[in-house]
Amino acid sequence: MPRGITPRQPAKTGRHEGIRKAAAAKKPGALRTPRTGEGAPPNKVRATAPAPARGKAYHPTAPGRVQEILKQLDTFYAAVTCALHHKSAWELLVATILSAQSTDVRVNMVTPELFRKYPTVQDFAALEPEQLQPDVRSTGFFRNKSKSVVGAARMIMRDFGGKVPDQMDQLLTIPGVARKTANVVLGTWFKKNEGVVVDTHVHRISRRLELTRNDDPKRIEQDLMQVIPREKWTLFSHQIIWHGRKLCIARSPKCADCPLENICHAADKTWSTVEIHKNAK
């Protein structure tokens, strides 16, 4: 060490400790506070979830936590249903096929005129896909969708007597129908809980709520079917979809207004009264 230079000593005032505390507060898992301009609405009291007992492991899919999630969803989204407008199983099937990579709002703008122009399954079956393309162009991927809708109509006429089947295995043989579409038709129209609809909202929010760690829709569905009571499968899907549109928005969730905030540990929360889990996203 050069002569005349002494090592830097800690401040006697203890101010250097403030640096350590500030650094600790930034570590992953530290309680997040709202950024400037964020916060709970005025005069709104946020309930804070009780801390788990010492030595007690946190289980995101514990029955008590799942029941609390369902309870809050029932309170805020008691009577929600499918947002796609329809008057029959066939109309719901067509609307669901058209909703892929599109919005329900856009599909609901297209289908009234579509079903006025082609009122029955037979009318669709008599078309060539190219004839249908101009009518569904605005929903995107209109060539593939036109082919699927016409193909579905022809199979339903040929194999199912002109009626949309109410069995999962039969629905999955129809062009353009995968499990998501089949679950929508079975649950919404036929009132059969054969699975859980996993759309973009259910995919995102079920991961945020730590009800699944998977990223594949089929595996997410299987995980949700393990923890959500069967009689709730269809309603749960509708509730989560509505929740995703109103509050749990992808880019900027409205956490300060969310009824699930005090049991949600998502890493991308904009407001939190509970610990943040970095893998909940």
Side-chain angles (χ1 to χ4, degrees), residues 42 64 117 148:
K117 191 174 181 179
S148 294

Side-chain angles (χ1 to χ4, degrees), residues 2 25 97 108 149 161 186 222 226 250 277:
I97 292 174
N108 288 337
V149 170
L186 289 172
Q222 292 300 315
Q226 293 294 319
H277 297 167

Side-chain angles (χ1 to χ4, degrees), residues 80-82 86 89 92 96 165-168 171 179-197 230-238:
V80 295
T81 187
C82 182
H86 61 279
L92 179 57
T96 307
D166 62 354
Q167 300 297 322
M168 176 67 78
L171 279 169
R179 278 197 65 90
K180 172 191 168 184
T181 300
N183 282 329
V184 170
V185 174
L186 289 172
T188 302
W189 184 262
F190 293 109
K191 309 303 179 186
K192 290 186 174 184
N193 291 302
E194 297 296 332
V196 178
V197 176
R230 181 166 188 151
E231 65 273 14
K232 289 278 192 177
W233 287 352
T234 300
L235 180 59
F236 173 80
S237 299
H238 292 322

Side-chain angles (χ1 to χ4, degrees), residues 154-165:
R154 290 176 179 176
M155 176 174 281
I156 289 172
M157 290 300 300
R158 183 182 68 244
D159 298 345
F160 303 110
K163 295 183 179 180
V164 176

Side-chain angles (χ1 to χ4, degrees), residues 58 65 208-210 248 255 258 260-267 269 271-276:
Y58 168 72
R65 182 173 183 268
R208 275 180 172 170
L209 290 174
E210 300 176 275
C248 200
C255 300
C258 179
L260 302 176
E261 186 281 321
N262 66 329
I263 51 175
C264 174
H265 302 270
K269 290 177 71 175
W271 167 272
S272 190
T273 59
V274 294
E275 183 183 13
I276 296 299

